[in-house]
Amino acid sequence: MDETIRHDWSLEEVRAIHDAPLSDLIFRAQQAHRRFHDPNEVQLCSLLSIKTGGCQEDCGYCAQSAHHDAGVERQPLMEIDEVVAAAHKAKEAGASRFCMGAAWRHVRDGKEFDRVCEIIRTVNDLRLETCVTLGMVNEAQAQRLKAAGLTAYNHNIDTSRDYYPNVVTTRTFEERLETLRNIRGAGISICSGGIIGMGESIEDRCSMLIELANLPAHPENVPINALVAVQGTPMAGHEPVTPFEFVRMIATARILMPASIVRLSAGRAALDESAQMLCFVAGANSIFYGEKLLTTGNPDVERDLELLRKAGIRPLLPASVREAETAA
Ligand code: SAM
Ligand code: DTB
Ligand code: SF4
């Protein structure tokens, strides 16, 4: 194993990294980034909500929780054809990964889960990487997702272990980790990160990254979201995070998990071009690409393509294509 991949980070160490002068922090993040990635490539992931609203969980940030009234229209699980049409469009627009989210507390065996597995198979046939986020899954369900050809499973730890009860009360941090173990056990890539701007301390942010970095294997993808404060949720009143906070979090994630793909995720629409560019320089190498996240907005495709063009950044190709090119 590469000796620069560590799993023994301490809070003192990580706090010192996070709080370093910005220039020093970014320089160190760039060094880590360039050891494992092409700094001019960014992964483009498109996101689709395949089942919206009415969720039993009470996540304080989420517009889809049945515990809050954020005015989100509930939608049952989409039909295969509709999802595939959206995946096709995302591919045409240049995405390499198609991510699908369902507002479920956990997966239930039955017709709906069968349909999700069929959706994964069909989207895979389009030669897109597939990712789903369906809430908690057990070992057998993880195996079925693997058999359907799933590339990655998104399951965020959201915040630190200590701050977790201030964010969600209907499940525990440990349950979150249990699902991550089930996904890892089935041989599926893990996409797991969190959210900043929910009233947590800097120490909580560092602790969250340490939880991820000290897992037996780092998540292959680490989404860093800034809270999208949605009216009607308990977190509607939070102040937006500043670009400095976003950049520090991304750079710290990059240093702790140098080989992982770090995604500049929700909250990007509130950043201007220079702040986004600074996030790329700080080690972000993935974005959500497409006008919508799950229920809230994201930058326009044209503007994103223009930004990437001006920065000389190329889209990262799907893993299957990269491997075929290396073999040739
Ligand atoms: N229900 C599943 C779950 O919670 O795992 C999947 C969907 S859930 C919406 C996926 C992730 O989106 C959450 O874990 C959270 O990190 C992120 N998210 C949701 N609402 C957000 C918001 N308003 N701002 C920032 N991130 C958000
Ligand atoms: C992740 O880390 N961020 C995405 C995805 N994983 C599923 C979701 C962001 C949601 C933002 C709020 C919304 O659109 O409802
Ligand atoms: Fe449900 Fe996921 Fe939203 Fe929590 S984040 S309320 S589990 S959809």
Side-chain angles (χ1 to χ4, degrees):
M1 196 192 279
D2 194 300
E3 62 182 14
T4 56
I5 305 273
R6 288 179 44 195
H7 302 269
D8 59 352
W9 295 94
S10 72
L11 187 58
E12 296 68 41
E13 248 181 320
V14 174
R15 196 61 218 255
I17 292 171
H18 179 279
D19 295 351
L22 199 66
S23 218
D24 293 344
L25 173 62
I26 290 181
F27 180 64
R28 188 163 170 195
Q30 266 285 311
Q31 287 177 312
H33 194 170
R34 283 165 186 266
R35 263 202 299 275
F36 293 93
H37 309 273
D38 180 332
N40 306 313
E41 281 183 348
V42 165
Q43 179 189 46
L44 304 183
C45 307
S46 285
L47 187 53
L48 178 70
S49 182
I50 58 171
K51 186 270 167 184
T52 309
C55 183
Q56 297 158 34
E57 301 272 29
D58 70 351
C59 310
Y61 50 77
C62 188
Q64 303 194 66
S65 166
H67 299 257
H68 331 307
D69 185 10
V72 168
E73 200 182 319
R74 294 186 187 189
Q75 265 195 342
L77 183 65
M78 285 171 73
E79 296 297 334
I80 299 181
D81 291 356
E82 291 176 278
V83 180
V84 173
H88 205 79
K89 225 176 118 197
K91 185 178 174 160
E92 295 286 291
S96 66
R97 176 173 287 197
F98 195 63
C99 311
M100 296 162 272
W104 284 333
R105 174 167 200 271
H106 54 86
V107 167
R108 259 176 282 227
D109 295 318
K111 284 215 170 66
E112 294 202 324
F113 186 42
D114 296 347
R115 196 193 299 170
V116 170
C117 292
E118 202 46 46
I119 288 173
I120 294 168
R121 274 194 197 90
T122 321
V123 174
N124 249 336
D125 289 344
L126 298 177
R127 293 184 171 275
L128 278 163
E129 293 179 5
T130 47
C131 179
V132 291
T133 178
L134 313 170
M136 294 182 269
V137 292
N138 62 30
E139 272 181 63
Q141 291 163 341
Q143 299 285 355
R144 280 196 62 196
L145 291 169
K146 176 68 184 174
L150 185 69
T151 313
Y153 195 89
N154 168 250
H155 201 66
N156 292 339
I157 61 167
D158 284 341
T159 191
S160 70
R161 195 182 284 267
D162 287 351
Y163 198 66
Y164 203 73
N166 298 100
V167 175
V168 194
T169 68
T170 48
R171 61 166 184 252
T172 63
F173 194 78
E174 202 40 54
E175 283 178 302
R176 229 44 199 168
L177 297 180
E178 174 75 29
T179 289
L180 291 180
R181 283 192 288 272
N182 293 338
I183 293 297
R184 186 53 92 204
I188 298 168
S189 272
I190 289 183
C191 173
S192 186
I195 310 177
I196 57 172
M198 303 188 293
E200 74 290 339
S201 65
I202 302 296
E203 193 170 305
D204 287 313
R205 294 180 189 176
C206 293
S207 299
M208 176 185 96
L209 292 179
I210 290 173
E211 289 282 353
L212 296 170
N214 289 355
L215 287 171
H218 293 171
E220 284 77 3
N221 271 257
V222 181
I224 304 294
N225 298 275
L227 175 72
V228 180
V230 180
Q231 281 307 316
T233 66
M235 294 195 183
H238 283 285
E239 286 296 312
V241 305
T242 67
F244 283 93
E245 294 175 273
F246 225 148
V247 167
R248 283 190 180 282
M249 193 65 182
I250 285 172
T252 309
R254 167 53 65 224
I255 293 163
L256 267 55
M257 295 167 276
S260 304
I261 293 184
V262 175
R263 185 175 309 128
L264 165 57
S265 306
R268 192 166 65 84
L271 298 181
D272 66 17
E273 285 194 332
S274 46
Q276 291 185 57
M277 201 52 231
L278 203 53
C279 290
F280 294 136
V281 173
N285 59 346
S286 177
I287 54 171
F288 284 121
Y289 172 68
E291 273 82 18
K292 208 166 170 203
L293 293 171
L294 293 172
T295 66
T296 67
N298 198 42
D300 290 347
V301 161
E302 288 73 26
R303 290 202 59 186
D304 274 346
L305 290 176
E306 181 65 7
L307 170 65
L308 298 180
R309 191 191 60 74
K310 284 189 286 195
I313 293 173
R314 301 177 299 274
L316 178 71
L317 297 169
S320 57
V321 179
R322 296 201 302 274
E323 280 150 21
E325 281 183 356
T326 320

